[in-house]
Amino acid sequence: MTELNEHDLRKQKVTRLREIGIDPFLPHGHRSITIAQFRAEFSTLQQSGAKHTVAGRLRLKRGHGKLMFMQLEDHTGTIQLVFSHDTAGEKLYTFVEDFFDVGDIVQVKGTAFITQKGEESVMVSDAIMLTKSVAGLPDKWHGIQDEETRFRKRYVDMIMRPEMREMLVRKSRFWNAMRSFLVEEGFIEVETPVLESTPGGADAQPFITHHNALDIDLYLRISMGELWQKRLMVAGFDKTFELGRQFRNEGISPEHLQDYTQMEFYWGYANYRDGMKLVERMYKHCIMQAFGRLQFTIRGFEVNFDQPWKEIDYVEAVQNELGINVLDASNEELQRKCKELGLNPETNTRGRMIDTLWKVCRKKIGGPAFLINHPVEVSPLSKRKPEDPRLVERFQVLVAGSEQGNGYSELNDPFDQEERFEEQAKMREAGDNEAQMHDADFVAALKVGMPPTCGFGVSERLFSFLMDKPIRECVAFPLLRPKNESTQQNSSEAQTTSTDADKSTETFDAGITYEKALALMLENITDENLRRHNRATGIIMRALGTRLSAAQPENWEIAGVLHDVDYEKAPEIDRHSIVGAQMLQDLNVHPLIVDAVREHNHQHNLEPKTMMSKALKSLEQITGLISACAFVQPDKKLASVKLSSLKKKIKDKSFARGVDRTMLSQCEALTGIPFDEAVEICLKAMQERAAELGL
């Protein structure tokens, strides 16, 4: 007889409950007190002996003779339930013993009771099944270890990790604090269109949709109604703000999402200097309200928001760091500097090249600081500085190497605005999909007259930095590519009950230094192309480890450098990686790295058990494609490889025929990283260390 799995056993209990006339999914429940209130009033409740009803989800169940102990959790906390055979009675005791499982949502009535071990508990006299959990929960101590499953089953992740729920509560406090701050400052909250015929207010690629009734294509907004709020300034409003969702069709990264929360305010009769003072006060207020402190460790930077915020000059910062004056340099000089640094702007337009150079500099700035004096080429909506028309009155908040807010003295000269829209149109024609579109109606509004105005916007990236987490860790339900239904498992619990902890993202001693790993690879591999492949794989593995929040990405790089260490010793495909794993095992290299090397050869059909193994198995082949793309460039340089071109080459199976694309297609399923994002991560990582690869 086949033994039933946990999922089928629970389904069987649902059937049995219905057979005895009990609905396992009741339409209503009741509680007279929350768990937090029960604990707060415990002494009084114990003295009175009054019975109260609590409800929540069972998190633990264990038996001990004529006693059962369970842990009940609601949104306010947890408490122990005690079921005594004598107090509950045989009928209820047997029912609870047979039908109550971890994960079930139940309602119990009882009195305050302290166990022999001194634990505050509820002595249960009555209990009701509210909702039977058919899927159950993962192991209490390990939770969901698979990264993809954790994001796909976020609701389970939140059950297993209460800190996730606490983070969302804190996030709510953060935005509510910002809303109340602005209202107190005299701003009114407004609503502007989400669907636009001309997207504006930012340099970003929009999502396109279709309006059936009007039979026209429209765009999802890429800003929080910037051009609409400015129309409100024209209409006579002095202080407006909007807080909501906006959408940008661009890459996913630890700092970027496609749909996210943004706040923008517009302040008539004010300039960027006024805005800087207001923003500094607003940030301190919101951060204190949400976190109760102003000092943080973010991305390795010690950031103190309570100290005076310094000002950084855009042009001087680039000059000091990179040795080029972006105002005086010609387009050819800017292009040459980008190539020298291995940078790859989406287009060679002046504004995009300047912005690309600046982004190299910002990575070293801890902040908090204000970046000022931006070149006009990177600020199509800002007002020029009267004393130097090459610069604009703009400010950006810098925190931990990233931009965490953007403000301007808004451009209110309709003729200057029209010229800049025309320049942006030329940039779009040159291939810059993020350049802004010409909005004739907005120009017409400016001709009516808009007062001097300061505008500012900040997104939820700031909150993710304060949490020191990747941004999609800080949203309730991050967007994922739908899974192929044919590969989904029938029982939902199958993906959530893993008890094997993935230690590859934690701290561990690799058993070998990177220098020794590199020397070992060079000792065993003589072919220069294969040496390059191993080094490149190490480079992308470090980047992927960083993306997956590994505590020691350098260990991931070691695994990449060593993954083909046996390729010349074991050219037979059925021995490759097995021999290498044994070599490393004999050298006392950590088993996590040994396993990653052993499992990466898909010819063996070994299931990758850790995120390190999954990343190596699915993406090591991409280094060959990237290198091949470099070799077909006129200058044969990695810096010249564009992301768009690489994506086309991946689809072209006649290009780099030796690269097996089989595993690449499984990247997201194995690692949870969308394939396009993984390609971008790998390309950028190799470009940043191109010198090591001789490319």
Side-chain angles (χ1 to χ4, degrees):
M1 181 176 178
T2 303
E3 186 176 346
L4 294 177
N5 60 33
E6 178 72 12
H7 180 260
D8 289 338
L9 283 171
R10 288 176 180 244
K11 283 178 65 177
Q12 192 178 77
K13 289 184 181 183
V14 168
T15 301
R16 287 168 55 201
L17 283 167
R18 285 177 169 149
E19 287 174 348
I20 61 176
I22 295 177
D23 183 353
F25 306 101
L26 285 177
H28 62 86
H30 165 72
R31 60 182 163 199
S32 61
I33 194 169
T34 66
I35 289 175
Q37 290 170 334
F38 192 94
R39 284 191 174 280
E41 302 171 22
F42 190 85
S43 296
T44 303
L45 295 176
Q46 186 181 23
Q47 290 174 6
S48 69
K51 292 184 178 181
H52 281 276
T53 302
V54 291
R57 188 183 296 275
L58 292 178
R59 295 300 311 276
L60 186 68
K61 176 184 177 182
R62 68 183 190 276
H64 186 72
K66 294 291 185 176
L67 292 175
M68 277 188 295
F69 298 91
M70 299 185 188
Q71 186 183 67
L72 186 72
E73 178 182 69
D74 70 5
H75 70 286
T76 67
T78 62
I79 196 164
Q80 179 171 266
L81 305 180
V82 179
F83 291 84
S84 164
H85 190 279
D86 294 335
T87 303
E90 183 176 353
K91 182 178 179 181
L92 177 61
Y93 190 91
T94 303
F95 175 81
V96 169
E97 187 175 39
D98 290 347
F99 290 103
F100 277 27
D101 295 306
V102 171
D104 292 348
I105 298 173
V106 303
Q107 172 183 310
V108 301
K109 178 185 285 189
T111 56
F113 173 76
I114 295 182
T115 66
Q116 290 182 351
K117 293 184 177 181
E119 184 169 353
E120 295 181 349
S121 308
V122 179
M123 176 61 76
V124 180
S125 58
D126 194 14
I128 299 172
M129 173 76 71
L130 295 179
T131 303
K132 183 66 187 172
S133 174
V134 183
L137 296 176
D139 176 86
K140 176 182 177 181
W141 304 112
H142 296 116
I144 306 175
Q145 296 300 319
D146 180 74
E147 189 80 10
E148 180 192 7
T149 302
R150 200 163 62 77
F151 282 118
R152 291 193 185 279
K153 297 188 176 297
R154 197 66 150 174
Y155 42 90
V156 178
D157 189 32
M158 291 180 192
I159 294 172
M160 302 308 297
R161 296 195 299 156
E163 65 270 21
M164 278 296 302
R165 301 199 301 273
E166 292 166 8
M167 180 191 68
L168 293 179
V169 171
R170 175 172 285 169
K171 188 175 182 181
S172 176
R173 287 202 302 265
F174 177 82
W175 287 120
N176 283 334
M178 189 172 294
R179 175 178 277 111
S180 62
F181 176 89
L182 290 169
V183 170
E184 286 293 321
E185 291 289 329
F187 288 78
I188 65 165
E189 188 168 5
V190 298
E191 295 179 339
T192 62
V194 174
L195 297 176
E196 300 180 309
S197 56
T198 303
D203 296 339
Q205 189 170 352
F207 284 95
I208 302 174
T209 188
H210 186 77
H211 194 299
N212 289 338
L214 297 178
D215 194 24
I216 57 172
D217 285 339
L218 294 172
Y219 303 91
L220 299 184
R221 65 181 177 188
I222 56 175
S223 72
M224 199 46 48
E226 173 166 347
L227 302 188
W228 298 105
Q229 290 201 61
K230 289 180 185 177
R231 287 173 171 90
L232 292 174
M233 296 294 108
V234 173
F237 289 87
D238 290 349
K239 290 184 173 182
T240 65
F241 77 95
E242 184 169 9
L243 203 167
R245 305 292 286 180
Q246 67 185 39
F247 313 89
R248 297 186 180 181
N249 198 359
E250 51 194 26
I252 300 173
S253 81
E255 297 185 24
H256 295 87
L257 292 172
Q258 283 65 54
D259 62 302
Y260 57 93
T261 301
Q262 170 101 350
M263 187 287 299
E264 291 188 24
F265 72 68
Y266 291 85
W267 181 8
Y269 305 97
N271 69 2
Y272 79 115
R273 285 287 176 184
D274 300 314
M276 289 164 67
K277 294 175 186 176
L278 182 70
V279 165
E280 184 171 347
R281 286 196 295 114
M282 181 175 72
Y283 274 39
K284 290 177 180 178
H285 171 79
C286 297
I287 293 169
M288 181 59 74
Q289 289 294 310
F291 292 87
R293 57 191 170 94
L294 292 173
Q295 296 184 29
F296 296 81
T297 300
I298 306 173
R299 307 294 199 269
F301 292 95
E302 297 301 321
V303 182
N304 182 2
F305 289 93
D306 201 28
Q307 68 185 8
W309 294 18
K310 64 180 180 179
E311 296 179 4
I312 296 174
D313 184 279
Y314 190 113
V315 178
E316 289 180 4
V318 179
Q319 174 89 54
N320 294 338
E321 182 67 27
L322 303 180
I324 184 171
N325 186 305
V326 294
L327 287 183
D328 299 334
S330 66
N331 285 2
E332 290 74 21
E333 289 171 327
L334 292 172
Q335 190 171 3
R336 193 157 51 245
K337 176 59 72 171
C338 286
K339 286 190 175 182
E340 174 189 320
L341 297 172
L343 304 175
N344 190 26
E346 285 296 320
T347 67
N348 286 327
T349 55
R350 185 174 183 83
R352 193 60 65 200
M353 289 189 289
I354 292 173
D355 182 58
T356 301
L357 292 171
W358 154 249
K359 287 177 179 176
V360 174
C361 306
R362 77 178 183 192
K363 295 178 181 179
K364 299 181 180 180
I365 300 172
F370 287 117
L371 180 68
I372 59 173
N373 296 334
H374 297 64
V376 69
E377 291 90 345
V378 299
S379 308
L381 295 170
S382 302
K383 198 166 184 64
R384 294 177 191 264
K385 299 195 74 165
E387 62 272 27
D388 189 347
R390 298 175 301 170
L391 305 175
V392 296
E393 294 190 345
R394 179 182 180 183
F395 67 99
Q396 288 178 292
V397 180
L398 302 179
V399 176
S402 183
E403 293 147 2
Q404 302 293 341
N406 188 25
Y408 314 113
S409 289
E410 300 292 346
L411 183 59
N412 62 349
D413 180 339
F415 304 105
D416 192 356
Q417 179 66 83
E418 190 153 36
E419 288 177 8
R420 295 199 213 178
F421 274 152
E422 290 170 355
E423 183 62 32
Q424 291 281 304
K426 292 177 184 177
M427 292 171 62
R428 289 188 71 84
E429 290 174 5
D432 190 343
N433 293 326
E434 295 185 355
Q436 297 193 28
M437 296 183 185
H438 192 293
D439 191 331
D441 183 72
F442 175 64
V443 174
L446 289 183
K447 288 180 178 178
V448 174
M450 184 179 83
T453 298
C454 173
F456 177 80
V458 58
S459 78
E460 62 180 293
R461 179 193 300 170
L462 173 61
F463 180 82
S464 74
F465 265 60
L466 294 169
M467 291 296 302
D468 199 22
K469 293 179 179 293
I471 191 167
R472 70 175 188 163
E473 284 279 4
C474 297
V475 297
F477 301 105
L479 181 67
L480 296 170
R481 180 180 287 119
K483 291 189 71 172
N484 184 340
E485 291 186 3
S486 65
T487 64
Q488 288 188 351
Q489 301 180 33
N490 291 328
S491 55
S492 58
E493 88 291 352
Q495 295 184 25
T496 61
T497 55
S498 171
T499 58
D500 295 326
D502 181 1
K503 301 293 186 181
S504 71
T505 59
E506 300 178 9
T507 301
F508 65 89
D509 182 358
I512 187 171
T513 64
Y514 170 76
E515 291 72 21
K516 289 183 178 179
L518 182 61
L520 180 65
M521 185 272 289
L522 295 175
E523 177 185 335
N524 285 276
I525 300 295
T526 59
D527 182 84
E528 284 302 322
N529 288 329
L530 189 53
R531 284 180 168 184
R532 181 185 295 112
H533 170 64
N534 278 273
R535 295 184 75 155
T537 303
I539 288 169
I540 69 164
M541 282 293 290
R542 173 182 278 266
L544 293 166
T546 300
R547 164 64 177 79
L548 292 167
S549 302
Q552 291 178 292
E554 59 268 28
N555 288 347
W556 290 47
E557 183 166 6
I558 289 171
V561 165
L562 294 174
H563 82 288
D564 276 351
V565 69
D566 67 349
Y567 203 86
E568 292 180 352
K569 292 182 177 293
E572 307 87 4
I573 197 67
D574 63 335
R575 295 291 299 151
H576 167 50
S577 80
I578 301 297
V579 172
Q582 188 60 53
M583 288 172 57
L584 301 181
Q585 190 171 326
D586 292 342
L587 292 171
N588 294 318
V589 174
H590 196 283
L592 286 168
I593 295 175
V594 173
D595 286 347
V597 169
R598 179 186 296 109
E599 293 162 5
H600 90 273
N601 182 358
H602 66 271
Q603 298 291 336
H604 297 312
N605 292 319
L606 296 175
E607 181 183 356
K609 296 185 290 293
T610 66
M611 290 307 295
M612 179 190 286
S613 280
K614 292 172 183 178
L616 182 60
K617 186 165 189 171
S618 61
L619 288 165
E620 60 107 355
Q621 290 277 333
I622 204 167
T623 62
L625 274 164
I626 294 173
S627 297
C629 281
F631 291 138
V632 299
Q633 301 300 313
D635 58 0
K636 300 190 183 304
K637 295 292 185 182
L638 257 179
S640 299
V641 178
K642 294 188 180 298
L643 181 61
S644 56
S645 174
L646 174 59
K647 290 179 180 178
K648 290 179 182 177
K649 294 295 187 185
I650 291 173
K651 294 177 181 178
D652 181 7
K653 294 184 180 180
S654 65
F655 177 79
R657 292 177 183 271
V659 174
D660 187 343
R661 291 162 169 81
T662 305
M663 290 306 301
L664 295 180
S665 63
Q666 298 185 33
C667 161
E668 183 172 358
L670 288 175
T671 68
I673 306 175
F675 181 64
D676 285 352
E677 181 190 354
V679 172
E680 184 175 8
I681 290 171
C682 295
L683 175 60
K684 286 184 176 179
M686 287 178 63
Q687 287 177 329
E688 288 173 359
R689 295 173 63 180
E692 297 176 41
L693 302 173
L695 295 172

